Amino acid sequence: MTKTIKFNSGEMIMEQGTIGDCAYIIDDGSVEIFINHPDGSTQILATRGAGAIIGEMALVDRKRRTASVRAIKDCTVIKITEQDFQHRLESSDPIMKIVTKVILGRYRDTITRVNVFGESDNPDSTEAHEKQITQSGKAIGHLKTANEFKHAIHNDELMLYYQPIIDLETKEIKGFEALMRWIHPEKGFMPPNLFIPIAEDSGLIVEASDWAVEEAANALHRMKKANPHIDQNAFMSVNFTAIDMLHPEFLTKLLAVCERTQVKPSDIKIEMTERLLMNNPEKVRSMLQACRDAGFKIAIDDFGTGYSSLSYLHHYPIDTLKIDRSFVVQMTKDESALNLVKGIINLAKSLNMSLVAEGIEENREEELLLESDCEMAQGYKYSKPQPEDKLTEWLLHH
Ligand code: C2E
Ligand code: CA
Ligand code: CA
């Protein structure tokens, strides 16, 4: 926790040569920063007043203070401890986190010495040093991937694959889910579970999602035109992250996509995970309501894997629950998992939501879902995600 401390005029706030473990923000008063030279002389480097931060390098590494600071007027300062800083950094907005890490890394010349990546262990112990190097290596790897992903967006390295979502009873196609693929020029196929979190951390996901939703809307329009057998109300599900959805222009951009692609808002289904609802409840609720009012559909992805608190569901304008594949797999082996799935299906029905079971591979899974009155499904049993041309062909024979 941060703490306020008072220093009288003339009092020392920090001493050159001591190990620092905190920084201070001057709330009121002023200070002078000075150094003592080995020959006994003193050199004043600067004076600082309200709003200035002093001793900030202690938040980065536990080295000796390179200067002293003394109050030259009565001062009130806010103490920021190293632990507090690291805690705030870890819980900060992902963009803030990554930018802060990069700036601090550069500031300290060599990124391997930066202590913000780990707990405040003794940086001189071999174990702590190795940990720092591993964590820095990971962070550098992520930065590299983020950098490459930035090019991917502009170099046509991203693609969308589409997976049909079918009516379990009639086998009619009700819609599609757009799933992003990155074909890296050297590394080849990159799995979304690897690059999406990095794109999210670096904020690049916003640009990628903007591209994806427009591409997916165009594809839906083309597929409906090419295949009159597809239900004209078939929807396109697009995955979004918290960063996308909390962007102030999220809805405006979606509406512009509909305008450009001639796809109705009701044909676009926004897929988001449960976690997003829990982290920013009020903001997300009002944004979802605005999207819903504009006609877009909303689905909760991977339902059941997050914060299984069901009480929040009716607070949000949700059209569809997607039951995570892990339940579908478990359901055929375990009676209690089957009962849980039935419970989710009943819950969705009582809240007037539709239901999609994810990841159907086996006949037995389909049978149990049909018996449980589940409405829609998606899985390799029907079709793997495919590029648009392959899917268009598949649709002709479906
Ligand atoms: P998700 O949204 O839960 O997508 C469903 C995943 O299950 C897809 O993996 C799909 O290929 C896979 N799947 C579908 N049917 C089956 C099946 O029968 N068996 C098995 N084993 N798997 C099945 P994929 O395409 O690798 O995507 C992984 C995750 O990456 C997605 O999970 C989603 O969270 C994220 N993702 C993919 N594309 C995007 C995107 O455009 N934007 C965002 N924000 N996230 C995306
Ligand atoms: Ca999804
Ligand atoms: Ca899912």
Side-chain angles (χ1 to χ4, degrees):
M1 287 305 293
T2 49
K3 197 165 101 182
T4 306
I5 308 172
K6 287 189 187 304
F7 289 97
N8 296 325
S9 175
E11 244 186 302
M12 291 297 287
I13 300 177
M14 61 182 68
E15 299 254 10
Q16 181 180 343
T18 58
I19 302 278
D21 64 351
C22 69
Y24 298 102
I25 297 172
I26 305 168
D27 193 30
D28 193 24
S30 56
V31 304
E32 70 180 3
I33 306 170
F34 62 95
I35 49 174
N36 295 313
H37 290 296
D39 66 3
S41 63
T42 297
Q43 182 187 359
I44 295 179
L45 297 176
T47 57
R48 293 277 183 268
I53 181 161
I54 49 177
E56 71 278 11
M57 284 315 294
L59 303 177
V60 184
D61 59 16
R62 276 176 174 255
K63 301 269 177 217
R64 296 188 186 283
R65 302 272 195 207
T66 51
S68 298
V69 179
R70 177 169 42 215
I72 50 176
K73 276 189 199 151
D74 290 355
C75 279
T76 313
V77 299
I78 300 160
K79 182 176 176 179
I80 312 162
T81 64
E82 188 189 20
Q83 289 91 331
D84 182 43
F85 178 71
Q86 288 188 20
H87 172 74
R88 280 165 193 261
L89 188 63
E90 284 316 314
S91 56
S92 66
D93 169 293
I95 298 176
M96 281 300 298
K97 191 159 93 185
I98 204 151
V99 170
T100 311
K101 284 180 176 179
V102 172
I103 293 172
L104 292 180
R106 290 200 182 135
Y107 198 25
R108 236 333 162 199
D109 288 333
T110 144
I111 202 158
T112 51
R113 281 161 61 203
V114 175
N115 201 29
V116 289
F117 293 117
E119 281 83 46
S120 50
D121 351 51
N122 170 8
D124 294 332
S125 82
T126 326
E127 200 189 321
H129 185 63
E130 276 169 7
K131 189 171 155 199
Q132 279 178 2
I133 289 178
T134 316
Q135 284 172 327
S136 306
K138 246 199 218 157
I140 291 166
H142 279 201
L143 281 176
K144 218 170 142 229
T145 308
N147 227 348
E148 291 170 345
F149 187 72
K150 197 168 161 187
H151 292 291
I153 303 175
H154 300 286
N155 287 355
D156 282 342
E157 292 168 24
L158 298 184
M159 276 186 83
L160 291 180
Y161 274 35
Y162 303 94
Q163 187 175 35
I165 297 172
I166 61 121
D167 182 303
L168 265 169
E169 187 100 38
T170 64
K171 305 292 182 287
E172 261 176 329
I173 290 162
K174 303 300 278 184
F176 307 90
E177 177 173 4
L179 294 155
M180 201 180 287
R181 299 289 177 260
W182 177 12
I183 318 297
H184 189 287
E186 283 135 37
K187 296 175 200 153
F189 177 80
M190 303 275 279
N193 289 332
L194 186 148
F195 70 82
I196 296 285
I198 295 175
E200 201 177 349
D201 254 7
S202 58
L204 291 167
I205 192 71
V206 175
E207 215 179 318
S209 304
D210 288 349
W211 167 81
V213 66
E214 181 135 11
E215 176 71 16
N218 272 321
L220 182 69
H221 188 72
R222 286 190 294 258
M223 286 194 285
K224 280 185 184 175
K225 230 166 128 185
N227 192 329
H229 301 302
I230 302 181
D231 184 345
Q232 288 306 300
N233 290 323
F235 58 84
M236 179 62 78
S237 265
V238 182
N239 293 281
F240 291 100
T241 67
I243 306 207
D244 295 308
M245 303 195 60
L246 296 173
H247 191 285
E249 301 289 306
F250 181 68
L251 176 56
T252 317
K253 290 190 292 181
L254 282 185
L255 287 169
V257 165
C258 290
E259 182 112 14
R260 284 195 292 271
T261 60
Q262 296 170 356
V263 164
K264 298 191 297 280
S266 57
D267 288 347
I268 305 278
K269 201 174 270 195
I270 298 167
E271 283 200 13
M272 52 179 274
T273 58
E274 240 178 323
R275 197 154 49 99
L276 211 158
L277 290 187
M278 305 307 288
N279 287 349
N280 251 312
E282 216 16 69
K283 261 194 182 156
V284 172
R285 207 196 63 76
S286 57
M287 195 273 312
L288 287 180
Q289 191 62 55
C291 291
R292 197 20 150 42
D293 292 344
F296 294 98
K297 296 277 191 310
I298 292 148
I300 302 296
D301 206 355
D302 305 341
F303 186 75
T305 58
Y307 297 76
S308 41
S309 155
L310 304 177
S311 54
Y312 64 86
L313 272 185
H314 70 277
H315 288 302
Y316 296 91
I318 298 165
D319 298 278
T320 307
L321 294 185
K322 296 188 76 172
I323 306 180
D324 192 67
R325 169 169 155 76
S326 55
F327 294 105
V328 172
V329 172
Q330 211 45 42
M331 176 184 78
T332 56
K333 302 179 185 130
D334 176 351
E335 177 96 24
S336 59
L338 177 61
N339 287 333
L340 191 66
V341 169
K342 286 182 176 164
I344 297 177
I345 294 170
N346 287 333
L347 174 81
K349 286 196 190 309
S350 69
L351 293 170
N352 258 330
M353 296 173 187
S354 64
L355 235 127
V356 177
E358 291 189 293
I360 315 308
E361 294 183 2
E362 314 278 338
N363 291 338
R364 183 72 191 133
E365 291 166 350
E366 181 183 74
E367 278 163 28
L368 287 174
L369 288 166
L370 268 168
E371 278 168 26
S372 312
D373 233 1
C374 180
E375 198 185 338
M376 290 178 275
Q378 137 185 34
Y380 295 170
K381 180 177 187 325
Y382 313 104
S383 163
K384 285 197 168 178
Q386 313 183 53
E388 187 186 339
D389 53 350
K390 292 247 171 64
L391 183 64
T392 307
E393 208 172 297
W394 181 89
L395 287 167
L396 290 173
H397 305 290
H398 179 72

mmCIF file of all heavy atoms in Angstrom, residues 37 42 48 51 53 71 87-88 99 106 130 195 215 219 230 269 273 304 325 337 352 378 385 396:
data_model
loop_
_atom_site.group_PDB
_atom_site.id
_atom_site.type_symbol
_atom_site.label_atom_id
_atom_site.label_comp_id
_atom_site.label_asym_id
_atom_site.label_seq_id
_atom_site.Cartn_x
_atom_site.Cartn_y
_atom_site.Cartn_z
ATOM 1 N N HIS A 37 31.101 13.857 -3.463
ATOM 2 C CA HIS A 37 32.232 13.297 -4.197
ATOM 3 C C HIS A 37 33.231 12.701 -3.212
ATOM 4 O O HIS A 37 33.269 13.099 -2.038
ATOM 5 C CB HIS A 37 32.894 14.394 -5.042
ATOM 6 C CG HIS A 37 32.023 14.823 -6.196
ATOM 7 N ND1 HIS A 37 31.681 13.970 -7.212
ATOM 8 C CD2 HIS A 37 31.406 16.014 -6.468
ATOM 9 C CE1 HIS A 37 30.900 14.610 -8.059
ATOM 10 N NE2 HIS A 37 30.709 15.860 -7.629
ATOM 11 N N THR A 42 30.548 18.561 -2.203
ATOM 12 C CA THR A 42 29.130 18.266 -2.461
ATOM 13 C C THR A 42 28.709 19.001 -3.725
ATOM 14 O O THR A 42 29.098 20.157 -3.925
ATOM 15 C CB THR A 42 28.293 18.754 -1.267
ATOM 16 O OG1 THR A 42 28.691 18.004 -0.126
ATOM 17 C CG2 THR A 42 26.807 18.542 -1.497
ATOM 18 N N ARG A 48 13.626 19.861 -6.719
ATOM 19 C CA ARG A 48 12.367 19.332 -7.252
ATOM 20 C C ARG A 48 11.206 19.715 -6.343
ATOM 21 O O ARG A 48 11.371 19.772 -5.129
ATOM 22 C CB ARG A 48 12.408 17.791 -7.315
ATOM 23 C CG ARG A 48 13.401 17.222 -8.317
ATOM 24 C CD ARG A 48 12.807 17.199 -9.728
ATOM 25 N NE ARG A 48 13.715 16.598 -10.691
ATOM 26 C CZ ARG A 48 14.593 17.283 -11.425
ATOM 27 N NH1 ARG A 48 14.673 18.596 -11.302
ATOM 28 N NH2 ARG A 48 15.374 16.663 -12.287
ATOM 29 N N GLY A 51 4.833 16.949 -7.376
ATOM 30 C CA GLY A 51 4.599 16.194 -8.607
ATOM 31 C C GLY A 51 5.827 15.439 -9.084
ATOM 32 O O GLY A 51 5.710 14.527 -9.897
ATOM 33 N N ILE A 53 9.051 12.863 -9.047
ATOM 34 C CA ILE A 53 9.300 11.540 -8.464
ATOM 35 C C ILE A 53 10.801 11.428 -8.198
ATOM 36 O O ILE A 53 11.610 11.868 -9.011
ATOM 37 C CB ILE A 53 8.739 10.423 -9.383
ATOM 38 C CG1 ILE A 53 8.982 9.046 -8.777
ATOM 39 C CG2 ILE A 53 9.308 10.459 -10.777
ATOM 40 C CD1 ILE A 53 8.088 7.960 -9.349
ATOM 41 N N ALA A 71 14.991 17.528 2.218
ATOM 42 C CA ALA A 71 13.883 18.499 2.129
ATOM 43 C C ALA A 71 14.448 19.904 2.306
ATOM 44 O O ALA A 71 15.256 20.129 3.210
ATOM 45 C CB ALA A 71 12.853 18.194 3.217
ATOM 46 N N HIS A 87 3.247 -4.974 -7.883
ATOM 47 C CA HIS A 87 1.868 -5.438 -7.817
ATOM 48 C C HIS A 87 0.997 -4.644 -8.798
ATOM 49 O O HIS A 87 0.206 -5.192 -9.550
ATOM 50 C CB HIS A 87 1.364 -5.284 -6.379
ATOM 51 C CG HIS A 87 -0.094 -5.545 -6.236
ATOM 52 N ND1 HIS A 87 -0.603 -6.820 -6.289
ATOM 53 C CD2 HIS A 87 -1.144 -4.709 -6.094
ATOM 54 C CE1 HIS A 87 -1.911 -6.744 -6.169
ATOM 55 N NE2 HIS A 87 -2.268 -5.477 -6.052
ATOM 56 N N ARG A 88 1.177 -3.317 -8.780
ATOM 57 C CA ARG A 88 0.398 -2.476 -9.697
ATOM 58 C C ARG A 88 0.722 -2.791 -11.148
ATOM 59 O O ARG A 88 -0.144 -2.792 -12.015
ATOM 60 C CB ARG A 88 0.705 -0.998 -9.444
ATOM 61 C CG ARG A 88 -0.041 -0.456 -8.265
ATOM 62 C CD ARG A 88 0.555 0.856 -7.829
ATOM 63 N NE ARG A 88 0.051 1.209 -6.537
ATOM 64 C CZ ARG A 88 -0.944 2.064 -6.347
ATOM 65 N NH1 ARG A 88 -1.500 2.663 -7.348
ATOM 66 N NH2 ARG A 88 -1.371 2.320 -5.139
ATOM 67 N N VAL A 99 4.570 -1.692 -22.112
ATOM 68 C CA VAL A 99 5.307 -0.456 -22.407
ATOM 69 C C VAL A 99 6.235 -0.127 -21.235
ATOM 70 O O VAL A 99 7.408 0.198 -21.423
ATOM 71 C CB VAL A 99 4.333 0.715 -22.691
ATOM 72 C CG1 VAL A 99 5.066 2.035 -22.753
ATOM 73 C CG2 VAL A 99 3.592 0.476 -24.002
ATOM 74 N N ARG A 106 15.030 -0.640 -21.241
ATOM 75 C CA ARG A 106 15.987 0.184 -21.993
ATOM 76 C C ARG A 106 16.722 1.107 -21.045
ATOM 77 O O ARG A 106 17.920 1.346 -21.184
ATOM 78 C CB ARG A 106 15.242 0.999 -23.043
ATOM 79 C CG ARG A 106 14.735 0.093 -24.127
ATOM 80 C CD ARG A 106 14.424 0.859 -25.401
ATOM 81 N NE ARG A 106 13.887 -0.074 -26.373
ATOM 82 C CZ ARG A 106 12.830 0.150 -27.115
ATOM 83 N NH1 ARG A 106 12.210 1.292 -27.033
ATOM 84 N NH2 ARG A 106 12.414 -0.760 -27.949
ATOM 85 N N GLU A 130 19.158 -16.393 -12.722
ATOM 86 C CA GLU A 130 18.699 -17.268 -13.808
ATOM 87 C C GLU A 130 17.214 -17.051 -14.098
ATOM 88 O O GLU A 130 16.793 -17.030 -15.235
ATOM 89 C CB GLU A 130 18.945 -18.735 -13.439
ATOM 90 C CG GLU A 130 20.367 -19.136 -13.781
ATOM 91 C CD GLU A 130 20.751 -20.481 -13.215
ATOM 92 O OE1 GLU A 130 19.872 -21.169 -12.658
ATOM 93 O OE2 GLU A 130 21.947 -20.818 -13.319
ATOM 94 N N PHE A 195 -0.500 -16.973 -30.471
ATOM 95 C CA PHE A 195 -0.328 -15.565 -30.841
ATOM 96 C C PHE A 195 -1.432 -14.641 -30.337
ATOM 97 O O PHE A 195 -1.174 -13.452 -30.138
ATOM 98 C CB PHE A 195 -0.101 -15.401 -32.355
ATOM 99 C CG PHE A 195 -1.304 -15.697 -33.235
ATOM 100 C CD1 PHE A 195 -2.294 -14.744 -33.440
ATOM 101 C CD2 PHE A 195 -1.426 -16.915 -33.891
ATOM 102 C CE1 PHE A 195 -3.377 -15.003 -34.261
ATOM 103 C CE2 PHE A 195 -2.514 -17.188 -34.717
ATOM 104 C CZ PHE A 195 -3.490 -16.223 -34.897
ATOM 105 N N GLU A 215 -13.408 -8.886 -42.684
ATOM 106 C CA GLU A 215 -13.165 -10.030 -43.566
ATOM 107 C C GLU A 215 -14.279 -11.076 -43.392
ATOM 108 O O GLU A 215 -14.802 -11.615 -44.367
ATOM 109 C CB GLU A 215 -11.791 -10.619 -43.206
ATOM 110 C CG GLU A 215 -11.394 -11.862 -43.953
ATOM 111 C CD GLU A 215 -11.055 -11.623 -45.416
ATOM 112 O OE1 GLU A 215 -10.836 -10.445 -45.779
ATOM 113 O OE2 GLU A 215 -11.036 -12.604 -46.187
ATOM 114 N N ALA A 219 -17.028 -12.390 -46.043
ATOM 115 C CA ALA A 219 -17.117 -13.813 -46.378
ATOM 116 C C ALA A 219 -18.558 -14.308 -46.220
ATOM 117 O O ALA A 219 -19.051 -15.075 -47.052
ATOM 118 C CB ALA A 219 -16.168 -14.617 -45.507
ATOM 119 N N ILE A 230 -27.973 -21.805 -48.075
ATOM 120 C CA ILE A 230 -27.672 -21.346 -46.725
ATOM 121 C C ILE A 230 -28.805 -20.444 -46.257
ATOM 122 O O ILE A 230 -29.265 -19.575 -47.007
ATOM 123 C CB ILE A 230 -26.365 -20.514 -46.671
ATOM 124 C CG1 ILE A 230 -25.178 -21.310 -47.201
ATOM 125 C CG2 ILE A 230 -26.069 -20.027 -45.265
ATOM 126 C CD1 ILE A 230 -23.883 -20.543 -47.132
ATOM 127 N N LYS A 269 -22.311 -12.171 -34.657
ATOM 128 C CA LYS A 269 -22.384 -12.573 -33.258
ATOM 129 C C LYS A 269 -21.034 -12.293 -32.604
ATOM 130 O O LYS A 269 -19.997 -12.753 -33.090
ATOM 131 C CB LYS A 269 -22.756 -14.055 -33.155
ATOM 132 C CG LYS A 269 -23.336 -14.405 -31.815
ATOM 133 C CD LYS A 269 -23.833 -15.839 -31.767
ATOM 134 C CE LYS A 269 -25.287 -15.967 -32.193
ATOM 135 N NZ LYS A 269 -25.871 -17.257 -31.811
ATOM 136 N N THR A 273 -15.403 -14.183 -23.756
ATOM 137 C CA THR A 273 -15.368 -15.186 -22.690
ATOM 138 C C THR A 273 -16.019 -14.636 -21.417
ATOM 139 O O THR A 273 -16.145 -13.432 -21.240
ATOM 140 C CB THR A 273 -13.926 -15.607 -22.365
ATOM 141 O OG1 THR A 273 -13.215 -14.440 -21.986
ATOM 142 C CG2 THR A 273 -13.249 -16.266 -23.547
ATOM 143 N N GLY A 304 -18.596 -22.079 -18.614
ATOM 144 C CA GLY A 304 -18.387 -23.107 -17.590
ATOM 145 C C GLY A 304 -16.939 -23.219 -17.146
ATOM 146 O O GLY A 304 -16.656 -23.787 -16.103
ATOM 147 N N ARG A 325 -15.804 -27.345 -24.844
ATOM 148 C CA ARG A 325 -15.534 -28.724 -25.282
ATOM 149 C C ARG A 325 -15.152 -29.655 -24.127
ATOM 150 O O ARG A 325 -15.466 -30.845 -24.166
ATOM 151 C CB ARG A 325 -14.409 -28.675 -26.322
ATOM 152 C CG ARG A 325 -13.853 -30.009 -26.674
ATOM 153 C CD ARG A 325 -12.926 -29.995 -27.873
ATOM 154 N NE ARG A 325 -12.006 -31.115 -27.797
ATOM 155 C CZ ARG A 325 -12.345 -32.373 -28.066
ATOM 156 N NH1 ARG A 325 -13.581 -32.657 -28.439
ATOM 157 N NH2 ARG A 325 -11.476 -33.343 -27.960
ATOM 158 N N ALA A 337 -20.838 -34.969 -15.040
ATOM 159 C CA ALA A 337 -20.558 -33.987 -16.102
ATOM 160 C C ALA A 337 -21.768 -33.852 -17.011
ATOM 161 O O ALA A 337 -22.129 -32.760 -17.447
ATOM 162 C CB ALA A 337 -19.329 -34.406 -16.892
ATOM 163 N N ASN A 352 -33.858 -17.717 -21.779
ATOM 164 C CA ASN A 352 -34.145 -17.415 -23.187
ATOM 165 C C ASN A 352 -32.903 -17.253 -24.047
ATOM 166 O O ASN A 352 -32.875 -16.425 -24.958
ATOM 167 C CB ASN A 352 -34.954 -16.124 -23.295
ATOM 168 C CG ASN A 352 -36.395 -16.430 -23.544
ATOM 169 O OD1 ASN A 352 -36.700 -17.462 -24.159
ATOM 170 N ND2 ASN A 352 -37.258 -15.576 -23.042
ATOM 171 N N GLN A 378 -21.078 -27.525 -32.841
ATOM 172 C CA GLN A 378 -19.990 -27.213 -33.754
ATOM 173 C C GLN A 378 -18.876 -28.179 -33.392
ATOM 174 O O GLN A 378 -18.660 -28.456 -32.207
ATOM 175 C CB GLN A 378 -19.641 -25.726 -33.527
ATOM 176 C CG GLN A 378 -18.217 -25.306 -33.454
ATOM 177 C CD GLN A 378 -18.095 -23.811 -33.111
ATOM 178 O OE1 GLN A 378 -18.905 -23.222 -32.361
ATOM 179 N NE2 GLN A 378 -17.064 -23.198 -33.619
ATOM 180 N N PRO A 385 -12.632 -26.273 -39.020
ATOM 181 C CA PRO A 385 -12.572 -24.929 -39.598
ATOM 182 C C PRO A 385 -11.853 -25.013 -40.953
ATOM 183 O O PRO A 385 -10.873 -25.741 -41.076
ATOM 184 C CB PRO A 385 -11.737 -24.138 -38.581
ATOM 185 C CG PRO A 385 -11.785 -24.927 -37.314
ATOM 186 C CD PRO A 385 -11.931 -26.353 -37.722
ATOM 187 N N LEU A 396 -21.731 -26.829 -50.843
ATOM 188 C CA LEU A 396 -22.495 -27.290 -52.001
ATOM 189 C C LEU A 396 -22.917 -28.743 -51.847
ATOM 190 O O LEU A 396 -23.939 -29.165 -52.357
ATOM 191 C CB LEU A 396 -21.655 -27.135 -53.283
ATOM 192 C CG LEU A 396 -21.414 -25.693 -53.730
ATOM 193 C CD1 LEU A 396 -20.455 -25.643 -54.896
ATOM 194 C CD2 LEU A 396 -22.739 -25.011 -54.089
#
